[in-house]
Amino acid sequence: MAYSILIVSSSQEQAALISEACQRAKAAAILCCPSYEAAFGPLFMKRWDIIIIDMGMRDGMSILKKIKLLVHHDQSRILAFVKDSISEALFTEALEEGATHLLTANDLRQHELPHLTQYFEPKAVV
Protein backbone atom coordinates (compact mmCIF):
# COMPACT_ATOMS: atom_id res chain seq x y z
CA MET A 1 0.00 0.00 0.00
CA ALA A 2 1.24 3.51 -0.82
CA TYR A 3 1.31 5.99 2.04
CA SER A 4 1.14 9.75 1.83
CA ILE A 5 2.82 11.98 4.38
CA LEU A 6 2.41 15.70 4.94
CA ILE A 7 5.20 17.36 6.94
CA VAL A 8 4.74 20.80 8.50
CA SER A 9 8.09 22.25 9.59
CA SER A 10 9.63 25.69 9.20
CA SER A 11 13.11 24.21 9.67
CA GLN A 12 14.65 22.91 6.46
CA GLU A 13 16.97 20.73 8.53
CA GLN A 14 14.11 19.09 10.46
CA ALA A 15 11.98 18.73 7.32
CA ALA A 16 14.88 17.01 5.54
CA LEU A 17 15.45 14.64 8.48
CA ILE A 18 11.77 13.69 8.58
CA SER A 19 11.49 13.41 4.80
CA GLU A 20 14.56 11.16 4.53
CA ALA A 21 13.19 8.87 7.23
CA CYS A 22 9.86 8.68 5.40
CA GLN A 23 11.63 7.83 2.14
CA ARG A 24 13.59 5.04 3.85
CA ALA A 25 10.27 3.75 5.21
CA LYS A 26 8.97 3.59 1.62
CA ALA A 27 6.39 6.38 1.79
CA ALA A 28 4.83 6.95 -1.62
CA ALA A 29 4.13 10.67 -1.40
CA ILE A 30 5.83 13.21 0.83
CA LEU A 31 5.05 16.91 0.90
CA CYS A 32 6.91 19.38 3.13
CA CYS A 33 5.22 22.67 4.02
CA PRO A 34 6.98 25.43 5.98
CA SER A 35 3.83 26.72 7.69
CA TYR A 36 0.20 26.03 8.45
CA GLU A 37 -0.78 28.45 5.72
CA ALA A 38 1.30 26.53 3.17
CA ALA A 39 -0.22 23.23 4.36
CA PHE A 40 -3.82 24.48 4.33
CA GLY A 41 -4.45 23.83 0.62
CA PRO A 42 -2.79 20.40 0.53
CA LEU A 43 -4.86 19.34 3.56
CA PHE A 44 -7.92 19.53 1.33
CA MET A 45 -6.33 18.27 -1.89
CA LYS A 46 -6.01 14.68 -0.71
CA ARG A 47 -6.26 12.34 2.23
CA TRP A 48 -2.95 12.18 4.09
CA ASP A 49 -2.19 8.95 5.90
CA ILE A 50 0.24 10.67 8.24
CA ILE A 51 0.68 14.32 9.13
CA ILE A 52 3.88 15.18 11.00
CA ILE A 53 4.03 18.53 12.79
CA ASP A 54 7.32 19.97 14.03
CA MET A 55 6.57 21.03 17.59
CA GLY A 56 9.78 23.06 17.62
CA MET A 57 8.07 25.65 15.46
CA ARG A 58 7.10 28.84 17.23
CA ASP A 59 3.43 27.98 16.68
CA GLY A 60 3.70 24.18 16.62
CA MET A 61 0.97 23.55 19.20
CA SER A 62 -1.36 26.00 17.47
CA ILE A 63 -0.77 24.24 14.14
CA LEU A 64 -1.50 20.88 15.77
CA LYS A 65 -4.81 22.21 17.12
CA LYS A 66 -5.84 23.72 13.75
CA ILE A 67 -4.98 20.62 11.75
CA LYS A 68 -6.79 18.38 14.22
CA LEU A 69 -9.96 20.38 13.55
CA LEU A 70 -9.58 19.93 9.79
CA VAL A 71 -8.82 16.23 9.47
CA HIS A 72 -10.93 13.27 10.47
CA HIS A 73 -9.25 11.33 13.26
CA ASP A 74 -10.16 8.04 11.63
CA GLN A 75 -8.44 8.99 8.38
CA SER A 76 -5.07 10.52 9.29
CA ARG A 77 -2.57 9.98 12.04
CA ILE A 78 -1.13 13.18 13.43
CA LEU A 79 2.38 12.84 14.80
CA ALA A 80 4.11 15.49 16.86
CA PHE A 81 7.83 15.74 16.12
CA VAL A 82 10.39 17.10 18.57
CA LYS A 83 14.08 17.44 17.85
CA ASP A 84 15.45 16.05 21.10
CA SER A 85 13.40 15.55 24.21
CA ILE A 86 10.07 16.88 25.35
CA SER A 87 8.78 18.02 28.68
CA GLU A 88 6.05 15.97 30.34
CA ALA A 89 3.71 18.98 30.09
CA LEU A 90 4.26 19.44 26.34
CA PHE A 91 3.94 15.71 25.73
CA THR A 92 0.62 15.58 27.58
CA GLU A 93 -0.69 18.71 25.86
CA ALA A 94 0.25 17.41 22.40
CA LEU A 95 -1.64 14.17 23.02
CA GLU A 96 -4.63 16.03 24.46
CA GLU A 97 -4.70 18.33 21.43
CA GLY A 98 -4.81 15.51 18.92
CA ALA A 99 -1.36 14.05 18.32
CA THR A 100 -1.60 10.27 18.13
CA HIS A 101 2.13 9.73 18.71
CA LEU A 102 5.33 11.58 19.40
CA LEU A 103 8.51 11.20 17.31
CA THR A 104 11.99 12.41 18.19
CA ALA A 105 14.94 12.98 15.89
CA ASN A 106 16.53 9.93 17.51
CA ASP A 107 13.55 7.80 16.41
CA LEU A 108 14.03 8.97 12.82
CA ARG A 109 17.79 8.34 12.80
CA GLN A 110 17.33 4.65 13.56
CA HIS A 111 18.30 2.58 10.57
CA GLU A 112 15.36 0.18 10.75
CA LEU A 113 12.78 2.88 11.59
CA PRO A 114 10.39 0.66 13.54
CA HIS A 115 8.84 3.69 15.20
CA LEU A 116 7.89 5.27 11.90
CA THR A 117 6.76 2.26 9.89
CA GLN A 118 4.32 1.18 12.60
CA TYR A 119 2.25 4.28 11.84
CA PHE A 120 1.72 3.07 8.28
CA GLU A 121 -0.60 0.33 9.47
CA PRO A 122 -4.25 1.16 8.82
CA LYS A 123 -6.12 2.63 11.74
CA ALA A 124 -9.06 0.71 13.01
CA VAL A 125 -12.26 2.67 12.55
CA VAL A 126 -14.54 2.44 15.56
Side-chain angles (χ1 to χ4, degrees), residues 11 24 45 55 66 82-83 88 104 116 120:
S11 164
R24 288 193 314 269
M45 288 184 345
M55 299 306 289
K66 290 176 185 176
V82 293
K83 183 176 179 179
E88 182 74 26
T104 66
L116 186 60
F120 291 179

Side-chain angles (χ1 to χ4, degrees), residues 77-124:
R77 294 177 189 264
I78 301 175
L79 309 180
F81 170 79
V82 293
K83 183 176 179 179
D84 296 309
S85 60
I86 187 170
S87 70
E88 182 74 26
L90 182 60
F91 175 76
T92 301
E93 185 178 3
L95 291 177
E96 288 173 352
E97 293 300 336
T100 55
H101 294 81
L102 185 75
L103 290 174
T104 66
N106 197 38
D107 291 330
L108 298 180
R109 288 186 187 108
Q110 292 182 11
H111 197 57
E112 296 289 318
L113 297 175
H115 297 290
L116 186 60
T117 55
Q118 71 180 342
Y119 306 124
F120 291 179
E121 298 303 316
K123 282 184 78 173

Side-chain angles (χ1 to χ4, degrees), residues 15 22-23 30-31 41 45 53 62 65 88 104 107 111 118:
C22 292
Q23 289 171 2
I30 302 167
L31 178 64
M45 288 184 345
I53 302 167
S62 173
K65 292 175 186 179
E88 182 74 26
T104 66
D107 291 330
H111 197 57
Q118 71 180 342

Side-chain angles (χ1 to χ4, degrees), residues 56-84:
M57 295 172 61
R58 174 179 44 84
D59 54 349
M61 190 63 70
S62 173
I63 292 171
L64 171 62
K65 292 175 186 179
K66 290 176 185 176
I67 288 178
K68 184 60 182 173
L69 292 173
L70 294 176
V71 300
H72 293 71
H73 66 84
D74 60 337
Q75 293 182 348
S76 300
R77 294 177 189 264
I78 301 175
L79 309 180
F81 170 79
V82 293
K83 183 176 179 179
D84 296 309

Side-chain angles (χ1 to χ4, degrees), residues 6-11 15 18 31-40 43 51-55 57 63 67 81:
L6 176 66
I7 300 166
V8 183
S9 177
S10 59
S11 164
I18 298 167
L31 178 64
C32 297
C33 297
S35 66
Y36 170 75
E37 291 76 18
F40 189 78
L43 282 168
I51 300 169
I52 302 175
I53 302 167
D54 183 352
M55 299 306 289
M57 295 172 61
I63 292 171
I67 288 178
F81 170 79

